Amino acid sequence: MTKQPIKTEQTIQVFKALADPVRLEILQYLNGLDHEVACGEVGAAIGISKTSGTYHFKILQAAGLITARKEAREKYVAIDRGTFDTVVSHFWDQL
């Protein structure tokens, strides 16, 4: 019996995003909150530069792990639990 390859590009993006320690730290921080927060606050809390934060937030958003919205000059992010429920919880079903 041969295994089927992982079915979606999103699944690949999710696990690539989760493979980075900085992105995991961002997700851990966001997981402790019940509301959206400014990217700058996240960066200050975990000690990363604005440039580094922008890079990591872009990858997390592309993978669907966070939601983001821009208001004036500030960007606000929050964890997207739906993606975790869909992709990570059902990982074994996709193998």
Side-chain angles (χ1 to χ4, degrees):
M1 179 166 120
T2 59
K3 291 185 179 184
Q4 296 295 320
I6 293 176
K7 296 175 183 155
T8 67
E9 182 64 32
Q10 183 187 17
T11 302
I12 294 167
Q13 284 183 322
V14 166
F15 284 101
K16 282 184 177 180
L18 293 173
D20 184 275
V22 173
R23 291 190 286 273
L24 283 176
E25 196 170 352
I26 290 169
L27 291 170
Q28 286 173 332
Y29 181 79
L30 293 174
N31 189 44
L33 304 173
D34 61 352
H35 59 280
E36 65 182 9
V37 64
C39 290
E41 180 181 328
V42 178
I46 66 170
I48 58 173
S49 69
K50 183 176 181 178
T51 305
S52 179
T54 299
Y55 170 75
H56 291 295
F57 290 127
K58 181 179 175 182
I59 292 171
L60 290 168
Q61 186 177 5
L65 295 171
I66 63 170
T67 59
R69 72 173 179 88
K70 192 167 184 174
E71 184 177 304
R73 297 185 71 183
E74 191 63 64
K75 190 173 189 179
Y76 294 89
V77 295
I79 199 162
D80 186 341
R81 296 185 193 286
T83 301
F84 284 95
D85 293 343
T86 302
V87 177
V88 181
S89 293
H90 300 290
F91 175 70
W92 294 112
D93 297 338
Q94 297 183 38
L95 291 180

